[in-house]
């Protein structure tokens, strides 16, 4: 414990470790070490952001996807998935509801749906920016070309979320078919950064074939990439995928990694993800208490929420947006934090 505790303290001081050191921390973690990491993480978060927890209004625009990721319930080969796509007007309605409730960031997320051409997405972004000039627009629409990202940035998109999923090329190939490669994922992240997007990356915890070494590589990549945001959540199996019978990832390990990420980068925007909240009672609160400072309430139309089923038993919220936000506010307040509804821009790295 003591040499591992020393490594966690070293991370807090130097903000970097070797892959081997990250691996050692993960392998030798204990409840005491996790409590120590949580304490450091909360102190770092308090210094950077006080007690603020930022909300991002999540709009799941389409569950059509041309990809066949082995873990994902909306993969193209899942014939049992009931497909939907929001129209531009549907998206504007969701945005209006989110705006009326105080959200100043909209996240448009979806499968890689070819219907969402650059022109269509750019028009939607243009409209949103025109109606809500005080809002940030975040996209999470998967891998696209440099030219495409350029067009979306020109149209006014501010941020882009694209998890790297796993930093090991060998492991990436265990999770994806041959037409998808880590190299291209990293190319996308680099293009997005070059174009001036605030970039969010991240990874799943507990995917098949993942060991402490792969997770250590994930932490090292985040340390080097320095994204504005990092989304991590447990892998949760979906019944109609090749990984249907694989065990789900651990909430405990996810929270421990949230603490390490916060210690590594006090200014990082770190969501407490739906996947964590779906596998663990009070998972959202546990994520915040481990160091997370962002939540992304689902503001998609009711009729679509259950269709964006990327894993089994996903919590999709049965309340309308106003009730959802009110109950989030209460839950967050109960653990000593406050929801703030401003844009929640990333702070300059400490
Ligand atoms: N198509 C976009 C992309 O690839 O970034 C956004 C949609 S994708 C469904 C969003 C994220 O869901 C992925 O980055 C992945 O980490 C996560 N995800 C997919 N299937 C999952 C599963 N079975 N368990 C946990 N997370 C999953």
């Amino acid at each position: 414990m003591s040499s591992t505790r020393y490594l966690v303290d070293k991370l807090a001081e130097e903000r970097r470790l070797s892959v081997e050191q990250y691996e050692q921390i993960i392998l030798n973690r204990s409840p005491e070490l996790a409590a120590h990491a949580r304490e450091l993480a909360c102190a770092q978060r308090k210094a950077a952001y006080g007690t603020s927890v930022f909300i991002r209004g999540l709009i799941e625009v389409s569950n059509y996807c041309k990809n066949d990721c082995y873990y994902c319930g909306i993969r193209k080969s899942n014939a049992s998935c009931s497909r939907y796509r929001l129209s531009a007007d549907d998206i504007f309605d969701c945005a209006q509801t989110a705006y009326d409730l105080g959200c100043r960031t909209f996240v448009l997320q979806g499968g890689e749906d070819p219907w969402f051409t650059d022109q269509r997405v750019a028009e939607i972004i243009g409209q949103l920016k025109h109606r809500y000039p005080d809002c940030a627009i975040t996209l999470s629409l998967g891998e696209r070309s440099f030219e495409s990202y350029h067009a979306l940035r020109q149209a006014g998109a501010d941020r882009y979320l694209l998890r790297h999923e796993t930093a090991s090329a060998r492991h990436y190939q265990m999770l994806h078919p041959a037409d998808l490669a880590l190299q291209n994922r990293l190319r996308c992240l680099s293009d997005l950064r070059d174009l001036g997007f605030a970039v969010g990356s991240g990874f799943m915890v507990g995917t098949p074939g993942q060991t402490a070494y792969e997770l250590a590589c994930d932490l090292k990549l985040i340390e080097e990439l320095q994204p504005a945001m990092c989304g991590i959540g447990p892998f949760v199996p979906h019944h109609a995928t090749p990984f249907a019978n694989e065990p789900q990832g651990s909430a405990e390990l996810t929270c421990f990694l949230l603490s390490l990420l916060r210690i590594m980068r006090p200014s990082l925007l770190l969501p407490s993800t739906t996947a964590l909240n779906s596998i663990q009672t009070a998972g959202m609160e546990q994520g915040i208490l481990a160091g997370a400072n962002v939540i992304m309430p689902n503001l998609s139309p009711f009729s679509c929420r259950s269709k964006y089923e990327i894993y089994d038993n996903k919590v999709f919220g049965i309340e309308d947006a106003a009730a959802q936000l009110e109950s989030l506010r209460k839950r967050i307040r109960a653990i000593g934090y406050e929801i703030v509804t401003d844009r929640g821009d990333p702070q300059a790295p400490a």
Side-chain angles (χ1 to χ4, degrees), residues 65 67 69-74 109-112 140-143 160-165 185 202-205 207 231 233-238 241 275 308 310-312:
C65 192
N67 291 335
C69 308
Y70 300 146
Y71 46 83
C72 187
I74 63 169
Q109 183 169 74
E112 289 194 21
S140 181
L141 301 173
E143 297 178 11
Y160 205 102
L161 308 181
L162 186 76
R163 292 180 174 184
H164 66 269
E165 313 295 5
R185 204 80 177 169
F203 53 94
M204 284 176 285
V205 178
T207 41
F235 158 73
V236 187
H238 183 284
T241 64
Y308 199 84
I310 54 180
Y311 45 81
D312 289 341

Side-chain angles (χ1 to χ4, degrees), residues 59-76:
I59 306 170
E60 292 164 338
V61 297
S62 170
N63 70 354
Y64 284 89
C65 192
K66 64 181 169 63
N67 291 335
D68 228 4
C69 308
Y70 300 146
Y71 46 83
C72 187
I74 63 169
R75 65 199 299 266
K76 74 170 173 199

Side-chain angles (χ1 to χ4, degrees), residues 108-168:
L108 309 188
Q109 183 169 74
E112 289 194 21
D113 177 354
W115 188 87
F116 280 100
T117 58
D118 297 344
Q119 198 188 342
R120 287 187 173 124
V121 182
E123 272 167 23
I124 292 168
I125 296 168
Q127 274 291 329
L128 288 173
K129 276 287 177 185
H130 177 69
R131 294 178 193 204
Y132 314 107
D134 51 337
C135 289
I137 297 182
T138 303
L139 302 176
S140 181
L141 301 173
E143 297 178 11
R144 302 173 82 102
S145 66
F146 178 88
E147 292 69 29
S148 170
Y149 290 142
H150 184 250
L152 304 182
R153 178 85 182 121
Q154 289 287 103
D158 304 279
R159 307 171 181 156
Y160 205 102
L161 308 181
L162 186 76
R163 292 180 174 184
H164 66 269
E165 313 295 5
T166 172
S168 147

Side-chain angles (χ1 to χ4, degrees), residues 10-315:
K10 183 175 154 76
L11 179 63
E13 218 160 275
E14 299 176 11
R15 312 280 183 222
R16 59 202 308 268
L17 292 175
S18 66
V19 170
E20 292 70 27
Q21 289 170 325
Y22 283 126
E23 188 180 12
Q24 198 183 325
I25 294 180
I26 294 166
L27 285 174
N28 297 325
R29 73 188 186 282
S30 62
E32 295 74 38
L33 186 73
H36 179 59
R38 248 192 331 266
E39 205 175 300
L40 285 176
C42 286
Q44 306 279 14
R45 186 246 321 268
K46 195 167 180 194
Y49 291 107
T51 56
S52 300
V53 171
F54 301 108
I55 50 164
R56 317 294 201 203
L58 179 63
I59 306 170
E60 292 164 338
V61 297
S62 170
N63 70 354
Y64 284 89
C65 192
K66 64 181 169 63
N67 291 335
D68 228 4
C69 308
Y70 300 146
Y71 46 83
C72 187
I74 63 169
R75 65 199 299 266
K76 74 170 173 199
S77 295
N78 180 7
S80 62
C81 176
S82 163
R83 305 283 170 177
Y84 77 91
R85 175 184 297 127
L86 298 189
S87 67
D89 284 339
D90 294 332
I91 295 173
F92 300 146
D93 286 348
C94 293
Q96 184 63 48
T97 307
Y99 189 84
D100 290 343
L101 290 168
C103 281
R104 293 296 176 266
T105 294
F106 310 127
V107 182
L108 309 188
Q109 183 169 74
E112 289 194 21
D113 177 354
W115 188 87
F116 280 100
T117 58
D118 297 344
Q119 198 188 342
R120 287 187 173 124
V121 182
E123 272 167 23
I124 292 168
I125 296 168
Q127 274 291 329
L128 288 173
K129 276 287 177 185
H130 177 69
R131 294 178 193 204
Y132 314 107
D134 51 337
C135 289
I137 297 182
T138 303
L139 302 176
S140 181
L141 301 173
E143 297 178 11
R144 302 173 82 102
S145 66
F146 178 88
E147 292 69 29
S148 170
Y149 290 142
H150 184 250
L152 304 182
R153 178 85 182 121
Q154 289 287 103
D158 304 279
R159 307 171 181 156
Y160 205 102
L161 308 181
L162 186 76
R163 292 180 174 184
H164 66 269
E165 313 295 5
T166 172
S168 147
R170 182 199 58 84
H171 187 223
Y172 199 94
Q173 252 21 97
M174 290 174 65
L175 305 182
H176 301 95
D179 62 329
L180 296 173
L182 177 61
Q183 209 183 5
N184 195 45
R185 204 80 177 169
L186 296 178
R187 187 275 302 160
C188 290
L189 287 166
S190 155
D191 286 352
L192 289 163
R193 162 167 296 193
D194 290 349
L195 286 162
F197 282 95
V199 175
S201 190
F203 53 94
M204 284 176 285
V205 178
T207 41
Q210 184 186 64
T211 68
Y213 174 74
E214 279 75 28
L215 286 171
C217 294
D218 288 323
L219 292 176
K220 192 68 191 170
L221 183 69
I222 295 299
E223 182 201 281
E224 290 173 348
L225 200 63
Q226 303 231 338
M229 183 159 168
C230 179
I232 70 165
F235 158 73
V236 187
H238 183 284
H239 61 277
T241 64
F243 291 163
N245 298 317
E246 298 290 341
Q248 72 182 22
S250 131
E252 170 271 319
L253 180 52
T254 303
C255 288
F256 184 64
L257 294 168
L258 283 171
S259 297
L260 295 185
L261 286 162
R262 172 64 60 208
I263 295 168
M264 177 203 296
R265 291 274 313 286
S267 63
L268 191 59
L269 290 163
L270 205 50
S272 182
T273 53
T274 307
L276 176 60
N277 199 41
S278 296
I279 65 158
Q280 175 79 29
T281 313
M284 181 189 71
E285 286 88 339
Q286 288 186 23
I288 301 288
L289 292 170
N293 67 336
V294 174
I295 41 181
M296 299 169 66
N298 189 339
L299 303 180
S300 311
F302 273 119
S303 56
C304 305
R305 285 192 201 170
S306 62
K307 294 182 183 164
Y308 199 84
E309 191 197 37
I310 54 180
Y311 45 81
D312 289 341
N313 304 315
K314 179 176 172 233
V315 171

